[in-house]
Amino acid sequence: NMISLMVDVVGRDERRPWLGDSFTDEIQSLCYLYDFAAFGANEEQVILDAMGPDGSCPGQLRNANKSGASSAAGWADACVTTPFFLAMNYADRKTLAEGYAGAKKFIDMIFRNNTNYVPGRVYGGTFGDWLSSPKTLAPGASSWSDVGKQTAPADFFAAAWWTRSARLTALMSEALGREKDAGLYAGMSEKVRAELLRKYRKPDGSLANGSQSVYALALDFDLLDEKDRKAALTNLFRAIE
């Protein structure tokens, strides 16, 4: 294992510094449970060093990106979530300012390649809904074949992450006094969210394929209007059952 970077489970020989498991899903927990300020700031610098000159970000820190490389939604977004949560938990304005430059390049890169506010080109759901129900067994299952079947659609997953990352970038802009940028990225977030709902919200209020992850993402990432949240929570409970 690399002592200066987060790597995946020690029980596997792979042990690569993937970003999706720790720095998008779990970074708030890391900041809350551990004295993570210095370690996180170092990881953020490595993320910045690994980003391509066009703003693309790799899914793991084994190699640096080249211009035109793809960015996996939910993994590459670590270049946004890392400086944001370090600033939120430790008031680390240095990492915030340095990380904001990377986050801005990243969000600009996504929009430059997807001006219709629908992800798919360069940025998409490459790995997708990695830790969803297909990776779990239901209580009382009698064999390993009884895993769940549905995941969040890749396009839904990517749009959800773009919506969230653009919103976090807007908040970083505001914290740094960049009001024009804050308005730009907040507006972008809303337009991506609107396109997502236009495509995936059904007349009865249900979303996409109705999987657990669809509703979990919708609720956690604030993809829904307030009036639709209660129905989404009910649908999430129904999907779990």
Side-chain angles (χ1 to χ4, degrees):
N1 286 333
M2 289 179 250
I3 60 173
S4 61
L5 296 173
M6 294 290 291
V7 297
D8 56 9
V9 293
V10 295
R12 279 167 45 182
D13 288 337
E14 183 183 68
R15 301 181 189 178
R16 293 180 180 177
W18 288 99
L19 294 174
D21 301 272
S22 297
F23 283 87
T24 48
D25 296 338
E26 298 174 6
I27 185 168
Q28 175 56 39
S29 298
L30 290 168
C31 290
Y32 182 80
L33 295 171
Y34 303 101
D35 183 4
F36 195 68
F39 194 108
N42 176 72
E43 184 103 11
E44 168 61 15
Q45 185 57 59
V46 178
I47 291 172
L48 291 172
D49 291 343
M51 291 180 70
D54 61 344
S56 61
C57 183
Q60 58 165 306
L61 298 177
R62 185 179 65 168
N63 301 110
N65 263 16
K66 298 179 180 179
S67 288
S70 62
S71 297
W75 275 252
D77 296 82
C79 70
V80 177
T81 57
T82 304
F84 178 84
F85 282 102
L86 289 173
M88 285 287 291
N89 286 275
Y90 302 115
D92 185 350
R93 291 190 64 83
K94 180 177 183 293
T95 297
L96 175 65
E98 293 173 352
Y100 173 73
K104 176 178 169 60
K105 285 179 64 177
F106 175 67
I107 296 298
D108 289 347
M109 179 276 299
I110 298 174
F111 177 68
R112 190 166 59 247
N113 287 281
N114 301 279
T115 54
N116 60 350
Y117 301 100
V118 177
R121 187 168 180 266
V122 178
Y123 177 82
T126 308
F127 303 116
D129 191 6
W130 188 254
L131 297 176
S132 61
S133 58
K135 306 296 181 183
T136 60
L137 287 170
S142 59
S143 77
W144 287 103
S145 63
D146 295 335
V147 294
K149 296 296 188 288
Q150 285 189 316
T151 67
D155 290 347
F156 183 99
F157 182 85
W161 269 104
W162 185 3
T163 299
R164 185 192 193 218
S165 289
R167 185 185 301 131
L168 296 186
T169 303
L171 292 173
M172 287 193 282
S173 302
E174 187 174 355
L176 293 168
R178 299 172 180 263
E179 297 298 330
K180 184 177 180 181
D181 283 353
L184 172 68
Y185 296 122
M188 182 188 298
S189 177
E190 280 301 302
K191 290 175 181 176
V192 177
R193 184 179 79 94
E195 285 298 316
L196 181 153
L197 293 177
R198 183 186 65 79
K199 181 177 181 179
Y200 286 107
R201 182 167 54 189
K202 299 176 183 178
D204 64 358
S206 61
L207 291 173
N209 60 8
S211 63
Q212 297 175 26
S213 297
V214 161
Y215 290 111
L217 284 166
L219 290 164
D220 187 41
F221 286 8
D222 289 327
L223 302 180
L224 302 170
D225 297 329
E226 188 62 35
K227 62 182 177 61
D228 297 324
R229 290 181 63 85
K230 184 176 180 179
L233 187 60
T234 299
N235 287 330
L236 173 59
F237 291 153
R238 185 177 296 121
I240 292 172
E241 293 170 354

